[in-house]
Amino acid sequence: MRKRETSVSAGVRAISIHKRLVLDKRENSDNWYARLSLENGTNIRRSTKTADLELAKEIALKIYYETEARIANNLPASTRKFRHDAEHTIKRMNDDLNAGLGKSAYNDYISALKVWFIPYFANTDINKINLKALTEFNTWRDEKREKWFSQSGINNHNAALNKVLDEAELNGWITKAMRPTLLNKGVATQSRGSFSNAEYNRLTRNLRDFHTTTSRPKAAATRETLRNYVMVLANTGIRHGTEALNLRWRHIDWYKKDDEKYLEFSVDGKTNSRSLIGRDSLSDILLRQSKLNPKLNFSDIDDLLKSKNDEFVFVNRLGERATVFNLSRAFNALLHNLSMKSGADDKERTLYSLRHYYATQDLSRGMSTHMLAKQLGNSTTMIDKHYSKVSPRLNADLHSGRTAKKTAAIKTDQTTSCPVCVEDIKAKAIKCKHCGEWLNKDANG
């Protein structure tokens, strides 16, 4: 086979070994690189890991014939280490998030890749990720965490790994036939602990001055924001974390229908974007939260929403954006102080429990699981799975026929000082249409 030096330009020395194989060597590199030009137009560049020209030629030819054999056997012409593929996938997801095109779930995928997959598979060829490798990884993951992941947690991990495998297949580093079947033997997800109405009212009462119980300015600022954060979660069903903390003021507006208007939130959900309606009581809570941000100065909720301000909603009075860690730590401290970390069912409460509380409140009002699923951004199957067993009890009055009787009784009740508002007093916290005072104020916080 003829071998000739073809060029010495731009600091690169190139020697032709074959019509589709060239050896390259740059001025600042000791080793020779084999450059293959495949018939499909793909170029592959591999280091021979030697500065010896004759040895480099032998290695380059070996690479060439091995590549030809792989193609003949319907295998990818080249492969990559898992770390390279995963980091490339993470960059793509970050680019999509920054451009406003990515799903909020991408943040969870990125975390799973960085914390679990890259440390374990870093130097493994992506085409070697098979069922055996994944089974060994699952064992390592459980041992490292010291308890089994939930099924939903493993679903998140599998989705992250699938993004990496998609990238590998797109770049020709694996073929579709080489993709492993991803398993999920996690612990079945249990419904989270929730709060009763009395417990929620107790929380909101204690949140009023919770920020005064610490001498640390940053902790106090977080606790002030926590008060409003808790109420937004409990009155919208928005997910704690990325979904809530990515809210900007421009994502909240009035939705007008006939002569009524409703607070509408546009959120980037776990799987897609959606709009939802918040409880009426949130207008004062949102205005109160805006006053914590040193950059904002609105005295009216209408002016605040009309501004379409790009500031994040949950910013404390120090001008810092609230974080999952700080809010969770403050909430856990409050639950501990009130001996409310676990409920009567022994299930642990977290900020996510406020979403569960919201769902049970809507179901207790007789809302269908289909309507609730649209508000929460879940499937009706998931709503039925977690709440169908408690729905009959939540709607006992509705099923028994007592709701109609109680409604009639309330309409004739003249004991309140505001008969105009009497119909709603027992259903929710409202403002008196005459005097502007809150009725059933504790429910509003």
Side-chain angles (χ1 to χ4, degrees):
M1 185 174 292
R2 185 181 179 189
K3 309 172 186 64
R4 61 186 178 85
E5 189 163 316
T6 57
S7 68
V8 184
S9 61
V12 178
R13 183 182 176 192
I15 297 177
S16 177
I17 306 297
H18 183 277
K19 65 179 181 179
R20 296 192 180 278
L21 175 62
V22 174
L23 275 176
D24 287 337
K25 186 176 184 182
R26 296 185 178 276
E27 285 184 348
N28 58 355
S29 174
D30 292 331
N31 294 335
W32 289 93
Y33 284 80
R35 177 160 48 87
L36 287 72
S37 301
L38 305 181
E39 289 186 7
N40 62 6
T42 302
N43 291 318
I44 296 175
R45 193 165 184 264
R46 295 267 301 277
S47 174
T48 64
K49 298 181 180 179
T50 181
D52 184 280
L53 179 58
E54 294 305 316
L55 180 58
K57 291 175 181 177
E58 292 179 16
I59 295 173
L61 285 170
K62 181 180 179 182
I63 292 172
Y64 173 79
Y65 290 122
E66 284 180 349
T67 302
E68 290 283 292
R70 290 176 66 84
I71 294 173
N73 286 283
N74 295 318
L75 296 173
S78 65
T79 187
R80 285 291 189 278
K81 299 298 182 185
F82 183 88
R83 178 187 294 279
H84 176 275
D85 189 5
E87 289 175 347
H88 192 61
T89 304
I90 289 172
K91 183 180 183 304
R92 274 186 181 271
M93 287 192 284
N94 275 325
D95 288 346
D96 285 347
L97 287 171
N98 293 334
L101 303 174
K103 302 174 183 177
S104 63
Y106 283 5
N107 291 294
D108 296 327
Y109 301 165
I110 291 169
S111 176
L113 291 175
K114 288 182 175 179
V115 175
W116 298 101
F117 287 100
I118 292 178
Y120 187 85
F121 287 119
N123 296 315
T124 303
D125 286 346
I126 190 67
N127 64 342
K128 299 290 179 62
I129 307 294
N130 52 26
L131 182 58
K132 179 176 181 295
L134 289 176
T135 301
E136 292 171 350
F137 166 75
N138 289 344
T139 301
W140 170 82
R141 180 174 55 187
D142 289 337
E143 289 175 351
K144 187 175 177 66
R145 194 167 185 256
E146 296 182 348
K147 63 178 180 180
W148 287 354
F149 272 86
S150 66
Q151 288 179 350
S152 61
I154 292 180
N155 280 339
N156 245 348
H157 282 206
N158 286 349
L161 181 56
N162 269 325
K163 295 290 289 183
V164 176
L165 296 176
D166 287 345
E167 195 70 32
E169 188 176 338
L170 181 66
N171 285 280
W173 301 329
I174 63 171
T175 61
K176 187 177 291 293
M178 296 171 68
R179 293 184 67 143
T181 300
L182 306 186
L183 305 177
N184 189 340
K185 296 183 179 180
V187 179
T189 303
Q190 302 294 318
S191 58
R192 291 175 171 84
S194 186
F195 300 99
S196 66
N197 283 332
E199 288 173 326
Y200 174 70
N201 289 339
R202 187 181 174 206
L203 273 178
T204 56
R205 284 196 302 271
N206 280 274
L207 277 166
R208 291 172 187 170
D209 59 6
F210 185 44
H211 65 285
T212 66
T213 61
T214 178
S215 59
R216 293 175 294 141
K218 188 166 184 176
T222 295
R223 292 179 181 190
E224 280 185 297
T225 301
L226 176 67
R227 179 188 181 192
N228 303 319
Y229 186 73
V230 163
M231 293 176 188
V232 170
L233 296 185
N235 288 282
T236 60
I238 291 175
R239 291 180 177 89
H240 161 53
T242 303
E243 193 167 286
L245 294 179
N246 277 346
L247 269 178
R248 299 175 188 264
W249 290 110
R250 59 180 169 82
H251 295 147
I252 308 173
D253 202 356
W254 289 114
Y255 164 66
K256 296 180 181 179
K257 182 180 180 182
D258 300 327
D259 294 329
E260 301 287 345
K261 62 180 182 179
Y262 309 87
L263 279 170
E264 183 176 43
F265 295 71
S266 297
V267 297
D268 187 7
K270 189 174 182 181
T271 54
N272 49 39
S273 300
R274 73 183 189 283
S275 293
L276 54 89
I277 301 298
R279 307 266 195 250
D280 291 342
S281 59
L282 283 177
S283 57
D284 284 352
I285 295 165
L286 290 171
L287 184 60
R288 183 173 68 207
Q289 173 57 33
S290 75
K291 293 180 182 298
L292 295 180
N293 189 332
K295 295 181 180 179
L296 302 180
N297 184 25
F298 293 94
S299 57
D300 181 84
I301 186 66
D302 291 328
D303 291 338
L304 172 61
L305 301 188
K306 283 179 185 176
S307 72
K308 298 297 180 184
N309 197 282
D310 200 45
E311 283 285 305
F312 286 103
V313 172
F314 295 105
V315 172
N316 64 31
R317 66 169 58 256
L318 302 178
E320 299 171 345
R321 185 181 171 194
T323 67
V324 169
F325 175 77
N326 288 341
L327 290 170
S328 296
R329 181 172 60 181
F331 190 65
N332 287 336
L334 177 64
L335 293 179
H336 177 75
N337 292 348
L338 300 177
S339 299
M340 290 173 60
K341 186 59 180 169
S342 297
D345 56 5
D346 290 328
K347 290 182 179 178
E348 189 172 289
R349 277 91 167 251
T350 66
L351 279 166
Y352 213 97
S353 298
L354 294 161
R355 178 173 160 88
H356 186 89
Y357 171 76
Y358 175 88
T360 56
Q361 292 302 298
D362 267 5
L363 288 172
S364 69
R365 295 182 177 95
M367 182 174 288
S368 70
T369 55
H370 175 76
M371 291 174 64
L372 181 59
K374 293 296 184 184
Q375 174 85 356
L376 296 182
N378 274 346
S379 65
T380 52
T381 301
M382 184 64 69
I383 298 294
D384 285 333
K385 177 181 178 182
H386 289 296
Y387 300 104
S388 60
K389 59 182 177 293
V390 298
S391 184
R393 289 185 177 182
L394 292 174
N395 295 294
D397 277 3
L398 190 67
H399 294 308
S400 67
R402 296 179 192 176
T403 298
K405 295 178 182 178
K406 290 184 178 181
T407 300
I410 292 173
K411 286 182 178 180
T412 59
D413 183 358
Q414 299 298 318
T415 59
T416 174
S417 61
C418 184
V420 178
C421 305
V422 67
E423 293 181 20
D424 293 318
I425 289 176
K426 293 186 179 179
K428 62 183 178 181
I430 61 171
K431 271 187 176 180
C432 172
K433 297 174 183 176
H434 291 178
C435 63
E437 289 297 313
W438 281 102
L439 303 172
N440 193 14
K441 187 173 182 180
D442 279 345
N444 181 63

